[in-house]
Amino acid sequence: MDNHILVIGATLMDVKGKPLAGLEPVTSNPANIRITRGGNARNVAENLGRLGADVVLITAVGDDVIGDFLLTQTAAAGVNIDYALQQENGRTGGYIAMLEADGSLSVALDDVGMMDMITPGYLDQQRKLFRDASLVLMDGSLTLDAMNTIARLAAKYKVPLCADPSSTRLAYKLRPFLSQLHLVVPNELEAAELLEVDFFGHDPDSSLDLARLLVRAGVENAIITLSNFGLDYATSDEIGYIPANYSQIVDNIGTGDAITAAIMFGMVNGLPITESVRLGAAAASLTVQTNETVVPDLSLDMLYDHLIV
């Protein structure tokens, strides 16, 4: 299990509702509703597993039918779930997303309380997983104590640390770790929250500035996802913008996780950052065209078929 990618964070059941004719408040709206596996860390891990990476997931679910289902499906995608926790009589967390008619997110609710089970003590018990990892990723669902432990162990074993803020309301948790991050992949709102600056609406140029500011704060590779409009990226050596490439938008839930996974896959395989980011953009373009949170038949060949050249 040497040189695996270690992913730590949420496993959730996603419930996504997409209205047939717009959202009207304070009433029921005719919609297409889909239930699918989710959770930022779990999504990243599944994407990595489907790309052929050796990936280990530390997560927590309830000892219930939903938890069993999510772990079984995640393992079937090639993810090692041996270190996932199941709380007896616990209730697996969930994510409810209300989408606009164009597939963009209107509002969402998340229940990540189960992640309190991932304690500093449990992480210390699994320190060999950190020692033998090629990359470590944590998501915003974790407690600050757990994040501090992850950052400490990653630094101790000199393993590059990656992070996903998970949401605007959780992004603040990553601020203390910016100078330690090898990779961070926020959307525009999350990036503004991380940096404690105002967000004035979608603008690739302004988002490129946010990526630069993250690098100045110590992040080695900052990727800003731009909803359905592609992504910006910055490192200490280069900056760039990659436009989106898709024929239709079904929904954009999970696109950021796909980007993160594809970039990490490129990194562990020694690809230049520009090519890794292009793989991420391809993964996003594929994910936005499906109503699944992770493309079910994702493969490396599929990513290369959708690269923007």
Side-chain angles (χ1 to χ4, degrees), residues 2 102 115 134 152 174 186 222 291 295:
D2 289 355
D102 65 0
M115 297 310 110
S134 55
R152 173 175 57 79
L174 295 184
N291 52 20
V295 177

Side-chain angles (χ1 to χ4, degrees), residues 225-287:
T225 64
L226 311 176
S227 184
N228 303 326
F229 304 102
L231 56 84
D232 285 326
Y233 68 94
T235 73
S236 58
D237 299 318
E238 57 187 300
I239 59 172
Y241 165 69
I242 299 178
N245 177 32
Y246 51 80
S247 58
Q248 63 172 336
I249 299 173
V250 178
D251 81 58
N252 60 19
I253 305 299
T255 55
D257 303 328
I259 290 170
T260 301
I263 292 173
M264 292 175 70
F265 182 85
M267 286 176 166
V268 298
N269 284 283
L271 297 181
I273 185 61
T274 303
E275 185 161 356
S276 296
V277 172
R278 289 172 65 225
L279 284 179
S285 295
L286 288 165
T287 306

Side-chain angles (χ1 to χ4, degrees), residues 38-283:
N40 290 111
R42 196 219 65 84
N43 295 343
V44 171
E46 180 177 340
N47 276 290
L48 283 166
R50 292 191 180 281
L51 292 174
D54 183 1
V55 56
V56 178
L57 176 63
I58 294 179
T59 190
V61 297
D63 185 15
D64 53 19
V65 172
I66 294 174
D68 289 342
F69 168 79
L70 291 172
L71 292 182
T72 298
Q73 292 294 308
T74 304
V79 178
N80 182 335
I81 60 164
D82 291 348
Y83 303 91
L85 298 169
Q86 280 194 279
Q87 184 180 68
E88 187 176 357
N89 299 320
R91 178 175 50 80
T92 300
Y95 175 83
I96 301 174
M98 300 295 293
L99 304 176
E100 300 287 355
D102 65 0
S104 61
L105 180 64
S106 175
V107 68
L109 302 171
D110 64 78
D111 177 359
V112 297
M114 190 62 65
M115 297 310 110
D116 290 353
M117 287 187 68
I118 304 176
T119 63
Y122 183 72
L123 293 166
D124 271 317
Q125 290 172 18
Q126 314 309 328
R127 56 189 176 274
K128 289 183 180 180
L129 292 177
F130 289 83
R131 182 196 66 191
D132 298 334
S134 55
L135 286 176
V136 173
L137 173 112
M138 62 182 180
D139 76 15
S141 72
L142 299 162
T143 66
L144 278 170
D145 286 342
M147 288 182 173
N148 277 311
T149 303
I150 292 165
R152 173 175 57 79
L153 289 170
K156 177 179 180 179
Y157 294 112
K158 297 180 173 59
V159 182
L161 178 62
C162 310
D164 182 328
S166 297
S167 76
T168 307
R169 286 193 161 186
L170 297 177
Y172 74 93
K173 294 182 183 180
L174 295 184
R175 287 181 199 144
F177 310 106
L178 290 178
S179 64
Q180 297 173 256
L181 294 182
H182 182 67
L183 171 71
V184 68
V185 188
N187 63 28
E188 297 162 292
L189 280 166
E190 292 163 352
E193 182 65 26
L194 274 172
L195 293 161
E196 297 182 272
V197 299
D198 292 331
F199 175 69
F200 297 107
H202 169 68
D203 178 358
D205 291 335
S206 296
S207 295
L208 202 53
D209 290 337
L210 292 176
R212 290 192 188 98
L213 288 172
L214 285 169
V215 171
R216 288 178 193 167
V219 176
E220 290 187 44
N221 301 281
I223 317 298
I224 311 292
T225 64
L226 311 176
S227 184
N228 303 326
F229 304 102
L231 56 84
D232 285 326
Y233 68 94
T235 73
S236 58
D237 299 318
E238 57 187 300
I239 59 172
Y241 165 69
I242 299 178
N245 177 32
Y246 51 80
S247 58
Q248 63 172 336
I249 299 173
V250 178
D251 81 58
N252 60 19
I253 305 299
T255 55
D257 303 328
I259 290 170
T260 301
I263 292 173
M264 292 175 70
F265 182 85
M267 286 176 166
V268 298
N269 284 283
L271 297 181
I273 185 61
T274 303
E275 185 161 356
S276 296
V277 172
R278 289 172 65 225
L279 284 179

